[in-house]
């Protein structure tokens, strides 16, 4: 078994496990058992505390950074930078993962489940279906991929830990903000997080399998790719 396959297998295993848990949560949300309502109401009561105009305004501003629109804009910027650095394989992988998983598949899932948004204690106006949360999925995929890319790049263990903690902390804040603003149930953001995690690890597994063939194809087309192939 070559090195790339050895790297891909555990990534597929983690991604597959996250996807399995997402499917379980999605089916539960769709069938609406009592524990789902109890779970959601319990966490909403915990999160929607000490509501104030200033706090709501700050959270509303910050949560836009986790939107699908922001993820698309930031993805385009990252891909352009990677292409400018002639890292075409990495750029195609990164851009493709965010656009397919965080935007396209998330939209399809929303249309499949068609869960209405909460209609109580809503602090801002929002449209569209509720499950899974687009903000949770988009922020998990984009910032999670960016964090994973940096973790694989840096050599110092302390830097890897800091990057992981900061990235995960920011994703959790986006999830918290959507529940605080009353536009998502906790199971919406949890489902979005799980789907985002599954997308990241499965995509990384695919990347390790296809990066060398894709690199060789670009070389064959006389396109000099500087993505690291080890």
């Amino acid at each position: 078994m070559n090195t790339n396959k050895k790297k891909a297998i555990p990534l597929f295993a983690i991604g597959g496990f996250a996807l399995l848990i997402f499917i379980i949560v999605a089916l539960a949300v769709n069938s609406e058992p009592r524990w789902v309502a109890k779970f959601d109401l319990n966490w909403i009561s915990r999160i929607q505390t000490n509501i104030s105009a200033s706090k709501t305004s700050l959270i509303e501003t910050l949560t836009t950074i986790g939107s699908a629109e922001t993820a698309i804009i930031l993805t385009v910027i990252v891909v352009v930078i990677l292409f400018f650095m002639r890292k075409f394989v990495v750029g195609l992988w990164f851009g493709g993962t965010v656009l397919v998983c965080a935007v396209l598949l998330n939209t399809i899932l929303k249309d499949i489940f068609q869960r209405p948004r909460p209609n109580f204690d809503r602090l801002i106006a929002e449209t569209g279906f509720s499950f899974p949360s687009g903000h949770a999925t988009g922020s998990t995929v984009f910032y999670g991929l960016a964090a994973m890319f940096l973790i694989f790049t840096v050599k110092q263990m302390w830097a890897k830990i800091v990057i992981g903690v900061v990235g995960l902390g920011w994703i959790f804040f986006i999830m918290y903000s959507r529940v605080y603003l009353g536009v998502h149930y906790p199971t919406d953001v949890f489902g979005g997080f799980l789907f985002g995690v599954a997308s990241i690890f499965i995509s990384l597994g695919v990347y390790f399998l296809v990066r060398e063939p894709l690199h060789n194809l670009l070389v064959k087309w006389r396109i000099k790719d500087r993505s690291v192939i080890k």
Side-chain angles (χ1 to χ4, degrees):
M1 185 180 295
N2 62 38
T3 303
N4 287 330
K5 287 185 178 180
K6 287 182 179 179
K7 291 180 178 179
I9 288 175
L11 295 170
F12 283 136
I14 297 172
F17 179 74
L19 185 60
L20 176 62
I21 302 301
F22 167 77
I23 292 172
I24 293 172
V25 172
L27 293 176
V29 167
N30 192 55
S31 59
E32 297 182 336
R34 183 177 298 178
W35 72 264
V36 170
K38 186 177 181 180
F39 177 87
D40 282 335
L41 292 175
N42 179 49
W43 278 102
I44 288 172
S45 65
R46 291 170 181 266
I47 293 173
Q48 282 195 321
T49 57
N50 301 320
I51 294 175
S52 66
S54 59
K55 181 179 179 181
T56 300
S57 178
L58 176 62
I59 289 178
E60 181 182 1
T61 301
L62 292 176
T63 196
T64 58
I65 303 176
S67 67
E69 293 80 6
T70 303
I72 292 172
I73 294 171
L74 293 176
T75 298
V76 171
I77 293 173
V78 170
V79 171
V80 169
I81 293 173
L82 289 171
F83 278 14
F84 181 77
M85 297 170 65
R86 304 190 71 82
K87 295 188 177 183
F88 299 112
V89 172
V90 177
L92 290 171
W93 161 72
F94 189 94
T97 302
V98 174
L99 295 179
V100 171
C101 298
V103 181
L104 179 61
L105 292 182
N106 185 263
T107 301
I108 292 173
L109 288 170
K110 282 180 177 287
D111 289 336
I112 290 174
F113 293 102
Q114 297 187 5
R115 188 187 198 187
R117 291 182 183 272
N119 57 5
F120 53 90
D121 297 328
R122 190 180 297 186
L123 303 181
I124 62 172
E126 193 68 89
T127 59
F129 296 118
S130 193
F131 182 88
S133 165
H135 279 68
T137 303
S139 59
T140 301
V141 173
F142 178 82
Y143 296 106
L145 274 181
M148 292 293 287
F149 179 78
L150 291 174
I151 287 171
F152 278 123
T153 301
V154 301
K155 296 181 179 180
Q156 299 87 348
M157 181 55 65
W158 66 266
K160 294 178 185 289
I161 295 173
V162 169
I163 292 168
V165 170
V166 171
L168 197 59
W170 177 249
I171 293 168
F172 284 163
F173 170 77
I174 295 297
M175 294 167 63
Y176 160 85
S177 72
R178 304 309 287 171
V179 177
Y180 171 87
L181 294 171
V183 294
H184 277 295
Y185 294 103
T187 44
D188 295 335
V189 297
F190 184 51
F193 173 75
L194 287 171
F195 184 71
V197 170
S199 299
I200 289 172
F201 283 95
I202 292 174
S203 174
L204 277 169
V206 171
Y207 170 72
F208 281 118
L209 292 180
V210 305
R211 61 177 183 170
E212 190 167 352
L214 185 54
H215 171 80
N216 293 336
L217 180 62
L218 292 176
V219 171
K220 184 177 180 180
W221 289 347
R222 297 183 180 180
I223 299 175
K224 187 176 182 180
D225 175 58
R226 293 179 179 174
S227 300
V228 177
I229 305 295
K230 292 183 179 180

